[in-house]
Amino acid sequence: MTLLRYLILVDQSGASLPQLASRLQETFPFHVTLAEHHCLILMNVEGEALRLPGGKGVAIGTIFPRHGAAKRIDHNDRQWTEELDGPEPLKILRDQYWGGFIAVLARDEGLELIRDPGGAMPCYFMATSTGWAIASDAEALVRAGLLRPRIAWAEMPRYLTAKDLPSTRTAIEGLHELLAGTSIKLGAHASDPSGFWSPWDYVGEADVWDGADMAHRLRRAIDHCAASWASTADQIVSTLSGGLDSSVVVAALARANADQQCITLVTQDRLGDEREYARAMSAHVGAALHEPYFDLADADLSQSVSRHFPKPIGTIHETAYHAAVVRSADGIGADAVFTGNGGDSIFYNSASLRPLFDVLYGQGPGLQALRTFGNICDVTQTSWVSALRETVKFRAVVRRPYVWHRDISMLAADLAADVMTRPATHAWLDSQPKGRPGKIGHVAHLLKVQNHLEGYLRPFGLPMINPLMSQPVMELALSIPTWRMLEGGRDRAVVRLAFADALPPLVRDRRRKGSPSGFAISLILNKEREVRERLFDGVLVRRGLLDAEVLEAAIPKGSVTGRSYVRLLMLLDLEAWISHWQGLES
């Protein structure tokens, strides 16, 4: 599998498309896929675009059928030709296919750009003097001379306080992101993006709940999606933390007979040493396991983990994680990295009381509500008395619309006050239904992972695949009532049941998860002087966005208490991101 990059120009000036293609190919060696109807498409890999029949447009990326063999669609697929030869190609693409792709559809009023609901294929767009430019990454637009990489400072408060909330506005002036499951019409003027896929369309409750049947359907969906993605790679390296989600992906890949090796990263402290669980899982499927340690030498504070994004969404210690994964991938000749990312979101692994209120609002007080309350106590290891006390207090919260949490810690006081006057919004939250506080929390969890789906390995040319965030799995998981995910007093209960025979008991039944927090803390402590220099001499303090006194108090001196170190890691990555983009601007 080769990491796909593309550049699309919509030029309405009447310019010669072949001449435009020739000029762009002098900048980087992309292949010309299409040059007609005011549209020029260049890609780094030939054969990654599918023409829609009848001149209806072109789809770029990896597309799988909902039903049938677990392999990608190609030009010779008869089903593709027959199903897309109708008046509503967008509806067919949404309901009959899935994958990681964008599409440019020809409409009477112009072109319509769409991004699939899974969000695996990135899509950034901008207006030009003669039309529009669309690309898989901002660097392609910069190298083509189309985008001047100027930081949009007006957007910085949003990234400082709500970096995980997706937005069409990036932190680079004039550059926008087309969000997953949305489309935009590109005529003389762009329309506002509109959603053609919504999570709320899949939320519902069966008249009769059959847990075994749902577990079977979920297992089948995950297996099919993992096998489909595996068909695009020759050699896979699977990140295996030892937790449930990554183990489920490894198990599904094993069922597909994929050629995979696994990697688990180890910290010096016991909390981040997951080898016992990773070894059990890799042995269970007969896959080789690589066990590198986190290395402080890999944590370069001058290099942002999100430098390739036009949006600062990373934390600096992750550079060490990715460096180790890339070394292992290079060592075994892997052409793709598979992860369990998104599992906590899609299976709503939450310690919230919201599922209890889903039951109360949907069925009223009764036996099911009592069972759910007990399950929540078991999952959170909380006494009934404490949980009841929290439930009474939480009633007022769930009666109000869900509000995205914003982190204003370490911000200058005036900026923090200003930020809180402007709500953080997203179309999925704007249309939240009444009486479903648990599902609203579930959808919010899904939103938190959206910004991270295209992966952090683009600078290394490695595709990062997240099978659990595939569209069919998302839609099925959304249909599961939130309280059913807690049955038996276990989080992610339905997926545990689905893969009960595919996981070793040590992994299937574990209740606590490790964390690389020890490495993150050691990074702050070992590089305290550099941390201080980069933050206090950085742009954020100079521009008055951070409160220097609060920042000073947050930087640990010899030991760490609380979770302020997480905020520091985010701010360090943001400073490095700013330096990267300012370097491109000069």
Side-chain angles (χ1 to χ4, degrees):
M1 176 188 289
T2 301
L3 181 67
L4 178 62
R5 299 180 68 196
Y6 64 85
L7 175 63
I8 304 173
L9 286 183
V10 178
D11 193 295
Q12 298 165 332
S13 67
S16 168
L17 292 180
Q19 289 181 4
L20 281 174
S22 178
R23 179 176 64 81
L24 289 171
Q25 285 180 306
E26 293 176 0
T27 306
F28 41 92
F30 279 16
H31 303 279
V32 177
T33 299
L34 179 73
E36 59 187 44
H37 303 304
H38 307 294
C39 187
L40 174 67
I41 300 178
L42 297 97
M43 301 166 60
N44 67 327
V45 183
E46 290 187 286
E48 292 285 325
L50 285 171
R51 297 257 189 155
L52 276 65
K56 294 184 180 67
V58 60
I60 298 171
T62 305
I63 304 177
F64 303 109
R66 287 272 186 166
H67 309 288
K71 64 178 183 178
R72 67 187 305 170
I73 296 292
D74 62 29
H75 296 278
N76 301 316
D77 195 284
R78 182 176 177 182
Q79 177 184 352
W80 169 267
T81 303
E82 291 178 351
E83 290 186 338
L84 270 297
D85 190 19
E88 294 294 337
L90 177 54
K91 186 176 183 298
I92 297 298
L93 285 171
R94 181 194 66 194
D95 297 339
Q96 302 300 325
Y97 296 90
W98 65 277
F101 64 92
I102 67 155
V104 180
L105 306 180
R107 303 294 196 184
D108 292 339
E109 63 275 20
L111 297 177
E112 183 176 12
L113 176 67
I114 77 163
R115 184 180 179 192
D116 86 277
M121 178 60 69
C123 184
Y124 300 99
F125 67 97
M126 60 176 290
T128 67
S129 59
T130 57
W132 302 92
I134 305 123
S136 56
D137 53 279
E139 182 190 354
L141 296 169
V142 173
R143 289 184 61 187
L146 298 166
L147 176 65
R148 184 178 177 185
R150 293 180 296 187
I151 294 174
W153 290 104
E155 300 298 327
M156 206 53 64
R158 178 167 57 82
Y159 285 103
L160 277 166
T161 59
K163 70 181 180 67
D164 290 335
L165 181 64
S167 172
T168 59
R169 305 187 309 277
T170 74
I172 300 300
E173 288 187 4
L175 186 62
H176 302 269
E177 180 177 8
L178 188 65
L179 301 183
T182 68
S183 68
I184 188 169
K185 292 182 172 62
L186 301 175
H189 302 283
S191 64
D192 291 331
S194 60
F196 65 87
W197 185 95
S198 170
W200 301 116
D201 293 336
Y202 303 92
V203 172
E205 298 175 25
D207 293 335
V208 178
W209 171 255
D210 187 332
D213 177 68
M214 178 56 75
H216 174 72
R217 291 168 60 196
L218 186 61
R219 170 71 179 270
R220 189 169 56 189
I222 293 173
D223 281 348
H224 181 78
C225 290
S228 297
W229 282 116
S231 72
T232 66
D234 294 322
Q235 175 68 61
I236 294 168
V237 58
S238 296
T239 60
L240 183 56
S241 67
L244 180 69
D245 303 322
S246 61
S247 297
V248 162
V249 171
V250 167
L253 290 173
R255 184 178 177 86
N257 295 316
D259 193 350
Q260 70 170 325
Q261 295 187 37
C262 302
I263 178 175
T264 187
L265 262 71
V266 187
T267 65
Q268 297 293 341
D269 63 300
R270 289 192 62 185
L271 182 62
D273 187 348
E274 296 280 87
R275 286 176 292 183
E276 178 186 7
Y277 303 97
R279 287 170 180 171
M281 187 63 223
S282 58
H284 192 73
V285 298
L289 177 66
H290 303 264
E291 304 174 355
Y293 277 81
F294 279 94
D295 190 341
L296 282 172
D298 288 330
D300 183 352
L301 300 190
S302 70
Q303 190 170 69
S304 165
V305 70
S306 57
R307 61 193 180 278
H308 58 292
F309 291 125
K311 48 188 180 181
I313 56 173
T315 49
I316 200 79
H317 72 291
E318 294 178 72
T319 54
Y321 179 85
H322 298 135
V325 170
V326 170
R327 276 196 297 270
S328 292
D330 289 344
I332 67 175
D335 57 346
V337 175
F338 278 56
T339 84
N341 290 351
D344 282 345
S345 296
I346 196 66
F347 304 128
Y348 194 34
N349 183 17
S350 171
S352 172
L353 284 162
R354 288 178 176 272
L356 173 62
F357 287 90
D358 273 7
V359 178
L360 291 173
Y361 289 157
Q363 301 184 8
L367 184 58
Q368 183 59 63
L370 190 62
R371 286 174 178 163
T372 300
F373 182 77
N375 288 335
I376 292 173
C377 291
D378 289 343
V379 168
T380 59
Q381 296 188 335
T382 305
S383 71
W384 280 55
V385 173
S386 296
L388 185 59
R389 189 181 301 119
E390 291 300 315
T391 301
V392 172
K393 291 191 294 185
F394 201 61
R395 288 176 60 193
V397 175
V398 296
R399 287 174 177 171
R400 300 190 296 267
Y402 183 95
V403 177
W404 191 269
H405 171 73
R406 281 170 290 178
D407 187 351
I408 59 173
S409 61
M410 305 184 201
L411 261 61
D414 57 343
L415 177 60
D418 180 64
V419 164
M420 297 308 291
T421 64
R422 291 177 278 120
T425 61
H426 186 280
W428 293 0
L429 297 179
D430 294 343
S431 56
Q432 58 185 270
K434 294 181 179 179
R436 288 188 177 272
K439 271 302 167 186
I440 293 169
H442 190 181
V443 169
H445 269 52
L446 281 178
L447 278 175
K448 291 176 183 177
V449 76
Q450 296 294 311
N451 264 340
H452 310 278
L453 291 179
E454 67 181 85
Y456 292 89
L457 302 180
R458 279 190 162 268
F460 307 100
L462 266 176
M464 192 177 84
I465 309 299
N466 311 298
L468 298 181
M469 291 303 296
S470 299
Q471 184 183 344
V473 179
M474 280 198 299
E475 292 172 355
L476 187 58
L478 283 164
S479 72
I480 301 173
T482 54
W483 67 87
R484 298 295 184 184
M485 286 294 189
L486 302 169
E487 288 192 327
R490 305 301 308 273
D491 60 73
R492 296 165 289 179
V494 179
V495 73
R496 288 182 192 273
L497 177 61
F499 282 80
D501 63 344
L503 306 175
L506 182 69
V507 173
R508 183 193 63 216
D509 299 332
R510 72 178 302 194
R511 286 183 175 270
R512 291 298 179 206
K513 182 80 166 54
S515 167
S517 58
F519 171 77
I521 291 170
S522 68
L523 172 62
I524 296 288
L525 295 176
N526 280 276
K527 300 193 177 188
E528 179 189 340
R529 181 175 178 179
E530 186 180 355
V531 168
R532 289 180 175 278
E533 290 174 351
R534 290 192 175 279
L535 291 180
F536 284 103
D537 296 338
V539 178
L540 298 174
V541 168
R542 290 203 307 270
R543 282 183 166 263
L545 300 177
L546 298 181
D547 185 320
E549 291 186 6
V550 176
L551 185 62
E552 169 65 37
I555 296 178
K557 302 175 182 64
S559 62
V560 173
T561 57
R563 291 185 55 81
S564 62
Y565 74 93
V566 177
R567 183 65 163 169
L568 294 174
L569 294 167
M570 176 264 178
L571 295 175
L572 286 164
D573 197 82
L574 180 48
E575 284 287 357
W577 183 92
I578 292 170
S579 296
H580 172 79
W581 282 92
Q582 286 182 330
L584 293 178
E585 186 177 351
S586 59

